[in-house]
Amino acid sequence: KKYNVAIAGATGLVGQTFLQVLEERKFPIKNLYLMASSRSAGEIINYRGKNIIVEELNENSFDKEIDIALFSAGGEVSKKFSPIAASKGVVVVDNSSAFRMVEGVPLIVPEVNPEEVWSHNGIIANPNCSTIQSVVPLKVLDEKYKIKRIVYSTYQAVSGSGFAGIKDLENGLKGKAPENYPHPIAGNCLPHIDVFLENGNTKEEQKMIDETKKILSKDIRVTATCVRVPVLHSHSVSMNLEFEKQFDIEQVRKDLAGVKGLIVEDDIKENIYPMAVNSKGKDEVFVGRVRRDESVENGLNLWVVADNIRKGAATNTVQIAELLVAGNKGGNL
Ligand code: 2RA
């Protein structure tokens, strides 16, 4: 069976990566519709040898026969158009944060909670990039050792802000003032991703806290500090975990090595550990620096790296769409 697929936000960095991943994974597409703002409408994008004209996203965009719509066009556009698409029977996989914490909207990382995809009511949410890579190692560890608390410290690439973030770093390295970030990002670290909330967290930090609990379906104690660093691609996350149960560190390494989509890179004698420069363009999550945290009972430190545009956004979204078509027994998605 082949499917009619729409991409909303087709000309953005994630939108363009959707196309790359769909082609690489040979997603069964019958017709492909590319949608974007009026600014980009009319552009021509080649997909698998076929030139497709980008159409302007509007209220009538989903009147045609569409099975699945992949959104990466920002929260406001998702809030406006995802419900319209869903009302026409389209299944939306939304990369924005608009619906992630809404009751009845599954928040999916296929390596962690694939079975929840079927509880959708037309909209499925793709988690925040830094959350996706962080929860991949956590399911097996929670099942075996019962996670009590997580402390996240992130080192996030500027591509998380799309082309605007990349531009600020590249221009910053030439001494130009930033246009996207509040301060220079070249040679600097900004403990400020998205806006600040009343509780002093940034929205990015609150996303990691709230989304981790929803994906693991557990009210674990979580805190996060999310930092923008002068790296172009791939997010890195330092994770401190506290468990209820005791663990053997070699067994933990074995547990992690058994997780689909997770690669253990951990040999400090050979200076082997995950690095952003090695994960760019890949779909796996890389984990290393696996070591006991001696400061607490049953404490563990991990270092997790992944390409924030691929596994952190486009690939995870396409993998959700693959779950839908794989589980589709000829009925509705
Ligand atoms: C960022 N996670 O890195 C956010 C959105 N992609 O900016």
Side-chain angles (χ1 to χ4, degrees), residues 40-114:
S40 309
E43 282 183 26
I44 292 178
I45 294 179
N46 188 287
Y47 180 76
R48 303 190 79 164
K50 198 176 157 200
N51 281 338
I52 301 173
I53 300 176
V54 177
E55 58 184 87
E56 182 176 350
L57 177 61
N58 60 45
E59 288 74 10
N60 309 312
S61 295
F62 302 98
D63 291 346
K64 42 187 170 293
E65 182 69 30
I66 293 172
D67 300 301
I68 300 174
L70 309 183
F71 270 67
S72 190
E76 289 319 303
V77 169
S78 280
K79 275 186 195 137
K80 184 173 177 190
F81 293 106
S82 294
I84 294 172
S87 72
K88 311 252 184 192
V90 177
V91 179
V92 173
V93 188
D94 179 19
N95 183 46
S96 86
S97 57
F99 299 94
R100 287 178 186 155
M101 298 314 292
V102 171
E103 193 69 31
V105 173
L107 184 65
I108 304 292
V109 178
E111 293 86 349
V112 180
N113 60 341

Side-chain angles (χ1 to χ4, degrees), residues 1 23 34 41 55 101 111 119 148 175 275 296 317 324:
K1 180 170 169 40
E23 183 161 3
L34 302 180
E55 58 184 87
M101 298 314 292
E111 293 86 349
S119 63
K148 277 169 57 176
M275 292 190 287
V296 291
T317 301
L324 285 170

Side-chain angles (χ1 to χ4, degrees), residues 128-129 156 160-161 193 204 228 235:
N128 190 48
C129 39
Q156 299 185 218
S161 310
I193 298 180
E204 188 80 353
R228 189 74 69 195
H235 289 348

Side-chain angles (χ1 to χ4, degrees), residues 109-142:
V109 178
E111 293 86 349
V112 180
N113 60 341
E115 68 289 343
E116 292 180 25
V117 79
W118 296 107
S119 63
H120 76 78
N121 296 295
I123 297 176
I124 300 164
N126 193 55
N128 190 48
C129 39
S130 48
T131 309
I132 290 173
Q133 67 185 76
S134 300
V135 296
V136 169
L138 295 185
K139 179 181 179 180
V140 67
L141 298 179
D142 187 41

